[in-house]
Amino acid sequence: MKNIIKISLVSACIGLALSSCQSDLTSLNDDPKHPSVLPSDNLLATALYQSSYYMDNPSVNFNNYRFFTQQWAETQYPDETQYNLVTRNQPRNHFNRMYVYSINNLKQAKVNLMKEVETDDIRTNKLATLEIEEIFIWENIVDTYGDVPYSEAFKPDEILTPKYDDAKTIYLDLIKRIDAVTATIKPAATGYSDLVYGGNMTKWKKLANSIKLRLGMNLADVDPALSKTTVESAIASGVISSDDDAYKFKYDGGTFSNPVFDNLVASNRNDFLPSELTINTMSALSDPRMDVWFTKVTGGVYKGGVFGELNDPYTNFSQLSSYFRSATAASNLLSYAEVAFLKAEAAARGYSAGGTAVELYAAAVKESMRENGISSTIADAYVVAHPYNPANWKQSIGVQAWIAMFNKGFASWNFTRRLDYPILVNPPKSNLSSVPYRMPYSDQEYVLNGANVKAAGDKIGGDKATTKLFWDKN
């Protein structure tokens, strides 16, 4: 149809001035439904969706966080629980989703925003939102891969093969960026919205400080002094303090559905089960969240799948309950429960965190119970039965945080790598020499950015899933 219109216009131009014809023809390139310059709000929405969906995606093709923490087992296809990260190109897929589909949109949104008509305060807050979301994604990338392209990334007109920056150097810059952006926020300015906090800049500021809290806690074993000042500064400035502050990306259940729903229900497949480690750990603690999260097998008991093995038929094992099967369930990517456990850990390490380790541990466990519909009476009894143990605080906090972060794979992986609890055993049929501590680099980087990615792998001790990140010292 467009070709027919173009031919008709060319015919009509015969005998008219050339400039007039050129004007008419040029206008054919304008598509009012697909503008050449996308509004910054649209680009932010795309980045929020892409980053949230793929950070939370349990698909075997992407991040595999739930397998790295051994909380989920597989049924007919156990490759991912045997730590095969080659066949499905998970490192490439996650790398591209975070860089190309997420951060790239945020970078362009910042450029486009400067050309849009806004009041100064609204523009300042929109820039702050874009910056905080970008930092949030960078933290995920660095804590997934380690050293990554950062300072030279997203400069295609200048640098086609960006260097890989030192991960700790990126950490330091992210902390600096958080301090800078939170100082610019105008909480009283209203008049725009976003898909996470609806334009509430007080909540965006709490998110920024909570990311800083994450970064600071990860530094605890590699740079204790910096860790302490970073964590205490974040808490003093104001972190997520209720479930209402949590970073949640909400799905409408129509155009966009929760990624767990997509993999458990919409796909019409039965590929995933709670693992034996999950079921046995929670059973030993008589954990009431089991009744919310899992189904029982014949005989009224819970039975987990063996990690790294076939678990077939599916019906012989406990399954993820309807609690996880809603198309509209939000991806809760930085929860109040996570922040509460981070504060408990901070107190256990001797930091000023707003309470004692005993108090903050209890508050964290109770928040996870509340988040999952457990009554305060049952939660109180659970804490009494499983109190904080100062003699082995890493086990107390590590195991309880691991349980609380069930279905929050990335957050759970940070806790298990930092605290080394619960103890994760490499499955007998593993493709690796140990459990994964990082995601290897994208295979495409070896084609497009070979010298730099090879240098990065050599620097960190080998581009292997078993190479620990700079902060994972124990």
Side-chain angles (χ1 to χ4, degrees):
M1 178 64 71
K2 286 185 178 180
N3 288 336
I4 294 173
I5 294 173
K6 183 179 289 187
I7 292 169
S8 299
L9 282 173
V10 169
S11 300
C13 284
I14 297 174
L16 298 178
L18 178 61
S19 60
S20 175
C21 291
Q22 288 176 327
S23 175
D24 289 340
L25 291 173
T26 302
S27 68
L28 291 174
N29 294 321
D30 297 332
D31 184 350
K33 293 184 179 180
H34 301 87
S36 58
V37 178
L38 287 173
S40 60
D41 289 351
N42 295 53
L43 292 165
L44 171 61
T46 300
L48 289 170
Y49 168 72
Q50 288 288 331
S51 59
S52 297
Y53 188 91
Y54 288 99
M55 282 184 195
D56 195 30
N57 199 327
S59 167
V60 294
N61 297 295
F62 290 96
N63 62 65
N64 281 200
Y65 296 140
R66 292 168 179 83
F67 304 132
F68 292 169
T69 58
Q70 299 190 358
Q71 291 175 314
W72 287 25
E74 295 177 283
T75 53
Q76 296 179 321
Y77 307 100
D79 288 1
E80 289 66 44
T81 50
Q82 293 171 1
Y83 299 137
N84 179 342
L85 299 174
V86 177
T87 302
R88 298 184 190 275
N89 294 313
Q90 294 96 331
R92 177 206 304 177
N93 296 336
H94 189 71
F95 187 89
N96 288 346
R97 287 291 169 181
M98 295 302 109
Y99 271 92
V100 180
Y101 292 85
S102 301
I103 291 183
N104 185 55
N105 280 311
L106 296 171
K107 294 284 190 183
Q108 188 60 52
K110 290 179 179 179
V111 174
N112 293 3
L113 175 59
M114 302 312 293
K115 302 173 185 177
E116 296 170 1
V117 177
E118 293 287 4
T119 65
D120 289 343
D121 285 356
I122 291 294
R123 179 178 287 105
T124 296
N125 283 347
K126 284 188 171 185
L127 283 171
T129 299
L130 293 166
E131 174 73 350
I132 294 167
E133 176 64 15
E134 185 182 326
I135 292 167
F136 183 64
I137 300 169
W138 277 122
E139 187 256 331
N140 173 271
I141 293 171
V142 177
D143 286 336
T144 298
Y145 296 96
D147 293 9
V148 290
Y150 179 73
S151 62
E152 294 183 354
F154 302 101
K155 298 180 180 180
D157 294 335
E158 306 170 36
I159 302 169
L160 295 178
T161 54
K163 69 177 182 179
Y164 278 59
D165 291 86
D166 174 74
K168 185 176 180 181
T169 301
I170 299 174
Y171 255 55
L172 298 180
D173 193 58
L174 293 178
I175 292 168
K176 181 180 178 181
R177 288 172 66 175
I178 289 169
D179 290 340
V181 71
T182 53
T184 69
I185 289 173
K186 310 290 184 184
T190 59
Y192 86 101
S193 188
D194 63 76
L195 296 178
V196 174
Y197 290 125
N200 187 320
M201 295 311 298
T202 299
K203 293 183 179 181
W204 276 106
K205 183 175 181 179
K206 287 185 177 183
L207 171 65
N209 287 321
S210 299
I211 300 167
K212 185 177 176 181
L213 174 62
R214 262 186 180 178
L215 294 166
M217 287 311 311
N218 280 347
L219 290 168
D221 293 326
V222 69
D223 195 334
L226 178 60
S227 171
K228 185 173 187 294
T229 58
T230 302
V231 166
E232 290 180 348
S233 171
I235 293 172
S237 184
V239 294
I240 289 169
S241 57
S242 72
D243 185 56
D244 191 50
D245 296 334
Y247 182 108
K248 297 179 183 178
F249 186 90
K250 303 173 181 66
Y251 302 91
D252 64 9
T255 305
F256 304 107
S257 298
N258 177 279
V260 178
F261 167 85
D262 284 346
N263 280 268
L264 295 183
V265 181
S267 65
N268 197 32
R269 297 180 63 87
N270 297 319
D271 292 333
F272 307 125
L273 302 163
S275 71
E276 196 173 53
L277 178 62
T278 297
I279 294 296
N280 292 351
T281 300
M282 296 182 74
S283 292
L285 298 170
S286 299
D287 196 306
R289 288 166 288 194
M290 297 180 74
D291 293 334
V292 178
W293 292 348
F294 312 126
T295 64
K296 295 179 179 179
V297 298
T298 303
V301 298
Y302 295 104
K303 183 180 180 181
V306 179
F307 190 83
E309 300 289 342
L310 291 170
N311 294 286
D312 197 36
Y314 176 73
T315 51
N316 282 1
F317 300 89
S318 293
Q319 299 159 22
L320 294 160
S321 74
S322 58
Y323 184 80
F324 298 110
R325 296 173 180 270
S326 170
T328 58
S331 288
N332 194 350
L333 297 174
L334 213 168
S335 65
Y336 177 39
E338 179 185 351
V339 169
F341 275 106
L342 289 170
K343 290 173 66 177
E345 181 183 342
R349 293 180 182 272
Y351 304 173
S352 177
T356 67
V358 173
E359 294 167 341
L360 294 171
Y361 164 85
V365 173
K366 291 177 183 180
E367 169 53 25
S368 176
M369 294 286 181
R370 186 213 60 77
E371 181 185 286
N372 291 283
I374 305 300
S375 73
S376 59
T377 301
I378 294 175
D380 289 344
Y382 182 88
V383 172
V384 170
H386 309 293
Y388 172 75
N389 179 9
N392 195 351
W393 63 266
K394 285 191 174 184
Q395 183 180 38
S396 282
I397 295 173
V399 170
Q400 287 298 330
W402 179 79
I403 294 172
M405 297 301 110
F406 185 84
N407 200 44
K408 300 179 178 71
F410 178 67
S412 180
W413 196 29
N414 276 346
F415 277 107
T416 60
R417 288 182 291 178
R418 192 173 59 248
L419 298 178
D420 300 304
Y421 280 100
I423 297 170
L424 304 180
V425 177
N426 199 30
K429 296 178 183 177
S430 175
N431 286 267
L432 305 177
S433 58
S434 75
V435 298
Y437 298 111
R438 62 180 287 273
M439 184 80 84
Y441 294 128
S442 166
D443 60 315
Q444 286 183 330
E445 281 289 278
Y446 283 92
V447 177
L448 302 174
N449 195 12
N452 285 317
V453 70
K454 184 180 184 305
D458 292 343
K459 172 184 172 293
I460 65 174
D463 181 19
K464 299 174 290 186
T466 54
T467 300
K468 291 190 174 185
L469 298 186
F470 80 97
W471 53 258
D472 188 3
K473 289 296 183 182
N474 298 321

